[in-house]
Amino acid sequence: MLAVRLGDNGAVTAAPTPHPAAYSADAPASAALLARARRVIPGGVNSPVRAFRAVGGTPRFIGSGRGPYVTDADGRSYVDLVSSWGALLHGHAHPAIVDAVTATAARGTSYGAPTEAEVLLAEQIVDRTPVEQVRLVSSGTEATMSAVRLARGVTGRDLVVKFAGCYHGHVDALLASAGSGVVTLAIPGTPGVPAATAGTTVVLPYNDGDALTRAFAEYGDRVACVITEAAAGNMGAVPPLPGFNRLLHEVCRAHGALLVSDEVMTGFRVHRSGWWGLADAADGWAPDLMVFGKVMGGGFPAAAFGGSAEIMARLAPDGPVYQAGTLSGNPVACTAGLVSLRLATDSVYAGLDRTAATLRGLVSDALDAEGVPHLVQSAGNMFSVFFGDPAADAVVDFDGARAQRLDRFAAFFHAMLANGVALPPSAFEAWFVNAAHDGDALDRVAAALPQAARAAAAVGTGA
Ligand SMILES: Cc1ncc(COP(=O)(O)O)c(C=O)c1O
């Protein structure tokens, strides 16, 4: 039973169900659901990282979420540091979002015709970012796919430059050397992607300006776009080095290519205007195309891509580049996104920054106390922990991210889970705070950390 209170921004700050000293590693109800799921769903999950393959054990099937907590099928509650992979900025079941969604759905859930909710959500996005127009779609994958198609249509060129360790959804042309689930599962290449398509993708090391300059010197006149995560969060949190994003912009300009900034993860999460607002806006430049998702859907399937009115006019129906969707701009999803963005005030972002800083400090202190070499790295309020032997000074690219001790992460993860804290089940993912993470939730994380640090230390030196 949850004792529900409302926090500053109306988010539910529920008191957690008391839990025993530690949950057992067995999760019988989740295990039973997984067995049933595996009969009808490949691997038992509808998105690979959820399967816990990187950390082992039984993925927890979630029955409900409230504020900062989720409760699994066995009735165990966890402080949730996944936040639906970043989508939930205000925690679970925020009353204002639930009420608005319920009222919208009661009037009708989908029309295949334009609605006011789409206009309101698009206006919010345009108001917060440098884009003049957006097209709404249903997933980040769809948004990056469409942005790349538009870039190719605008430039009349085929090549796409991406960076190793950045993940842009499971788009054929963008899966090469991708982070997130692709690296978590150690999938070597991209089976199912035609060689001709893979051949249009150039993969460069992240944060490597020299490699970029060399690539453009060789085939810059064939590049339609460079796509980058505004700050990488899919190989752990790896922010761009100072000036790197600006260099991408300048090199693209010089060669007639477009810069596509993927803010699916960072957009409206790290700042009211995303990573661009946090780090780049003051420099006075903007990407040619931007891609959004997660937070802008408020926990529902909604995403978007946008740019200048001139570039966006190349899309159908005004222009020749075709792109469409039955559920695009769905009124229920747009309502959830709209309320989520309206709630996302500067004071909410300041609170998220404080929560993230507190957590980073708690994690580091606990690991230091057990002598576990590690690096806590952040990109705004997103952060992750790299376990190393010894710890690196900084992780700036995919090779650095892969040099971590995954065995230590797995031990740490399971000890946290046993003590009522759900982390992303992979070392290659960022941890996501939300506005419902209150003092009680942070206390529970603090209480779980010493045992998790001991578990990581117990894995050994790996020498
Ligand atoms: C940066 C980035 N781009 C694109 C995507 C794909 O979004 P979706 O999972 O909604 O298709 C993700 C998903 O995590 C992402 O982190």
Side-chain angles (χ1 to χ4, degrees):
M1 202 40 203
L2 294 167
V4 176
R5 303 186 300 274
L6 293 187
D8 287 351
N9 75 338
V12 177
T13 57
T17 314
H19 70 109
Y23 298 139
S24 87
D26 309 333
S30 285
L33 281 169
L34 182 66
R36 275 174 59 199
R38 292 179 80 130
R39 278 183 223 121
V40 288
I41 298 171
V45 294
N46 284 308
S47 199
V49 184
R50 297 178 196 171
F52 272 31
R53 296 285 164 88
V55 291
T58 305
R60 303 302 191 260
F61 280 63
I62 303 301
S64 64
R66 207 83 169 119
Y69 302 101
V70 288
T71 302
D72 72 8
D74 290 284
R76 301 163 179 176
S77 75
Y78 306 87
V79 177
D80 180 19
L81 289 171
V82 183
S83 299
S84 187
W85 299 98
L88 298 182
L89 199 68
H90 307 288
H92 294 275
H94 190 291
I97 297 174
V98 172
D99 287 353
V101 160
T102 308
T104 301
R107 287 197 300 274
T109 55
S110 183
Y111 311 105
T115 62
E116 186 185 19
E118 297 162 70
V119 184
L120 293 170
L121 181 58
E123 284 172 349
Q124 266 285 336
I125 296 170
V126 167
D127 178 53
R128 286 168 171 254
T129 68
V131 305
E132 292 174 341
Q133 293 193 346
V134 282
R135 174 59 60 80
L136 302 179
V137 296
S138 299
S139 73
T141 296
E142 204 186 339
T144 57
M145 177 190 77
S146 306
V148 166
R149 181 181 305 144
L150 180 57
R152 284 172 162 158
V154 167
T155 57
R157 301 170 176 182
D158 286 346
L159 292 189
V160 174
V161 173
K162 78 165 290 264
F163 298 101
C166 286
Y167 176 68
H168 304 288
H170 60 99
V171 178
D172 274 2
L174 303 177
L175 269 180
S177 292
S180 191
V182 184
V183 57
T184 295
L185 298 174
I187 293 172
T190 51
V193 175
T197 305
T200 61
T201 307
V202 176
V203 183
L204 300 178
Y206 190 58
N207 272 327
D208 187 338
D210 291 342
L212 178 83
T213 313
R214 279 198 305 277
F216 268 83
E218 204 178 325
Y219 32 72
D221 59 347
R222 294 168 53 208
V223 175
C225 64
V226 172
I227 184 165
T228 186
E229 283 189 59
N234 282 294
M235 48 179 150
V238 181
L241 291 172
F244 182 67
N245 282 353
R246 188 189 180 109
L247 178 71
L248 301 182
H249 164 71
E250 284 166 359
V251 169
C252 283
R253 271 289 137 90
H255 291 271
L258 301 186
L259 174 62
V260 182
S261 181
D262 181 347
E263 294 240 22
V264 167
M265 190 179 273
T266 49
F268 318 116
R269 163 153 282 282
V270 296
H271 181 273
R272 74 180 296 280
S273 306
W275 184 265
W276 176 83
L278 188 69
D280 297 327
D283 259 6
W285 66 274
D288 300 293
L289 286 167
M290 296 179 82
V291 186
F292 309 105
K294 297 191 190 269
V295 169
M296 61 153 283
F300 282 76
F305 63 102
S308 67
E310 188 189 350
I311 290 180
M312 296 302 282
R314 303 297 294 274
L315 278 179
D318 289 343
V321 179
Y322 196 71
Q323 183 280 331
T326 300
L327 291 179
S328 290
N330 173 269
V332 182
C334 285
T335 299
L338 180 63
V339 177
S340 186
L341 290 185
R342 282 183 176 158
L343 287 168
T345 58
D346 287 344
S347 77
V348 164
Y349 290 108
L352 293 173
D353 288 346
R354 279 195 301 275
T355 302
T358 302
L359 283 173
R360 288 195 301 264
L362 289 171
V363 173
S364 248
D365 288 351
L367 292 172
D368 281 344
E370 296 301 326
V372 180
H374 68 281
L375 173 71
V376 180
Q377 196 158 282
S378 57
N381 61 40
M382 299 166 11
F383 64 96
S384 63
V385 183
F386 296 96
F387 292 89
D389 256 346
D393 292 336
V395 171
V396 298
D397 60 16
F398 199 23
D399 285 346
R402 280 190 293 194
Q404 60 183 309
R405 289 284 305 271
L406 301 178
D407 51 354
R408 283 205 169 137
F409 176 81
F412 181 83
F413 169 89
H414 276 294
M416 291 297 279
L417 197 67
N419 284 283
V421 180
L423 302 177
S426 161
F428 295 100
E429 304 287 353
W431 301 16
F432 296 103
V433 295
N434 64 59
H437 285 128
D438 56 5
D440 290 343
L442 295 188
D443 284 350
R444 191 193 270 201
V445 178
L449 279 167
Q451 196 176 324
R454 280 195 293 280
V459 174
T461 63

